[in-house]
């Protein structure tokens, strides 16, 4: 019996020591230490031995059991330390710092502008990026053959739709659904068929504004734009309006802010090119033809509207020289804001 027990023990210990992972080790534990293990079978027979042999045999079997258990314990510890078990936990290691997210620079600017306009009583309106020609062009007084469509070439969808080239579409969508007075802004993404370079992208962002009521005048437009400039670029910011053309406003203007970088004092300023003015966007008094398209009476109501490109403002603000950075989602860029 001694020999049999020794054989059982050395086989079990060898197998346990060779176990590659915890699962195998557990199988070996059941096989060599479980109720049906060879050692237990031998132990079960001890009772049938002559009484004189029983104590010694019991001792031998007990020692073998201990040795196998020890081999098992040692191996279990070794596997844990090798980190193979998943339950190994070293509480002395420094913790992993969670990645903290933050808003994209354009989202931050949007939030800020939304705040400024909400402070002046504007609501936020939304419209679809996949639009139809009517809302993107016709209703904005830009019929099929209008030359202003040339600068707004875009991506046409398989049905009659297109990707909107401007957030001015939301002016129409809001006026179609809501009677005046109206005071809304609408931030959102726009698309144009541009060749992508440092200052052009086929996808970009605008904020549109529309204010319609009885007696709205150019002075309201001026005051609104000026208040925005002061809050976003600084209290001493001034605005200037230059005549321009947009099909859906009459008169139309482009507006510039004084250069917040050099204040007109640096002839080689890369932002204002030494002029002291930075061009921001377009605006004007809503063309009566647009009111007619949405069923407003142009004799009773007047309105002003404005639109601006967000990338341009963010680039000026942060000194960013390549518009492509906004859409590349490179954390080395976005983490800086
Ligand atoms: N939608 C124009 C553009 O993308 C910008 C614009 C000009 C918006 C005049 C307006 C406006 O609301 O009144 O070029």
């Amino acid at each position: 019996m001694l020999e049999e027990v020794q054989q059982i023990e050395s086989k079990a210990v060898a197998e346990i020591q060779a176990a590659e992972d915890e699962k195998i080790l557990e199988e070996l534990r059941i096989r060599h230490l479980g109720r049906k293990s060879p050692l237990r079978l031998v132990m079960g027979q001890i009772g049938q031995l002559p009484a004189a042999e029983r104590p010694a045999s019991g001792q031998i079997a007990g020692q073998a059991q201990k040795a196998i258990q020890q081999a098992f314990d040692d191996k279990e510890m070794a596997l844990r330390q090798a980190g193979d078990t998943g339950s190994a936990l070293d509480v002395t290691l420094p913790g992993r710092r969670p990645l903290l997210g933050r808003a994209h620079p354009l989202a931050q600017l949007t939030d800020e502008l939304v705040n400024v306009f909400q402070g002046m009583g504007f609501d936020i309106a939304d419209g679809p990026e996949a639009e139809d020609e009517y809302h993107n062009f016709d209703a904005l007084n830009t019929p099929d053959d209008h030359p202003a469509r040339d600068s707004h070439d875009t991506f046409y969808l398989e049905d009659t739709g297109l990707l909107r080239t401007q957030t001015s579409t939301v002016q129409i969508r809001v006026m179609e659904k809501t009677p005046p007075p109206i005071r809304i802004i609408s931030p959102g993404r726009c698309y144009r068929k541009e060749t992508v370079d440092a200052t052009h992208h086929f996808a970009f962002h605008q904020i549109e504004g529309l204010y319609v009521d009885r007696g709205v005048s150019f002075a309201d437009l001026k005051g609104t734009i000026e208040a925005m400039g002061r809050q976003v670029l600084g209290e001493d910011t001034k605005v200037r309006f230059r005549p321009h053309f947009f099909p859906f406003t009459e008169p139309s203007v482009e507006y510039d802010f004084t250069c917040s970088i050099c204040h007109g004092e640096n002839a080689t300023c890369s932002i204002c090119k030494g002029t002291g003015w930075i061009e921001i966007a377009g605006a004007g008094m809503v063309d009566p033809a647009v009111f007619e398209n949405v069923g407003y009476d142009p004799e009773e109501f007047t309105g002003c509207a404005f639109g601006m490109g967000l990338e341009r403002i963010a680039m000026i603000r942060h000194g960013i020289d390549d518009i492509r950075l906004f859409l590349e989602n490179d954390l080395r860029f976005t983490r800086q804001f």
Side-chain angles (χ1 to χ4, degrees), residues 140 151-152 165-169 171 190 192 204 206-210 221 244-246 248-249 251-255 281-286 304-308:
L140 286 162
S151 60
H152 283 235
T165 62
Q166 50 188 346
T167 44
S168 305
T169 53
Q171 291 188 28
C190 307
R192 286 188 203 176
F204 56 97
Q206 291 187 335
I207 286 194
E208 188 79 12
L210 174 68
L221 175 63
H244 198 75
F245 174 81
F246 294 103
F248 41 91
T249 43
S252 301
V253 294
E254 275 190 334
Y255 55 93
M285 300 304 294
V286 180
C304 62
F306 52 90
M308 58 203 129

Side-chain angles (χ1 to χ4, degrees), residues 7-19 28 32 67-68 71 75:
Q7 251 175 33
I8 290 172
E9 180 189 321
S10 56
K11 181 164 182 271
V13 169
E15 280 183 21
I16 286 171
Q17 283 173 348
L28 291 173
H32 295 300
I68 297 172
K75 188 67 191 180

Side-chain angles (χ1 to χ4, degrees), residues 72-87:
F72 175 81
D73 291 346
D74 290 349
K75 188 67 191 180
E76 190 176 46
M77 180 71 80
L79 283 177
R80 274 203 189 149
Q81 278 174 355
D84 226 6
T85 65
S87 62

Side-chain angles (χ1 to χ4, degrees), residues 27 30 34 67 69 88 92 101 110 115 129 169 233 265 328 336:
E27 282 165 17
I30 293 166
Q69 182 69 49
T92 65
T110 305
N115 237 330
E129 289 176 23
T169 53
L233 293 178
E265 280 157 21
E328 282 172 353
Q336 298 177 55

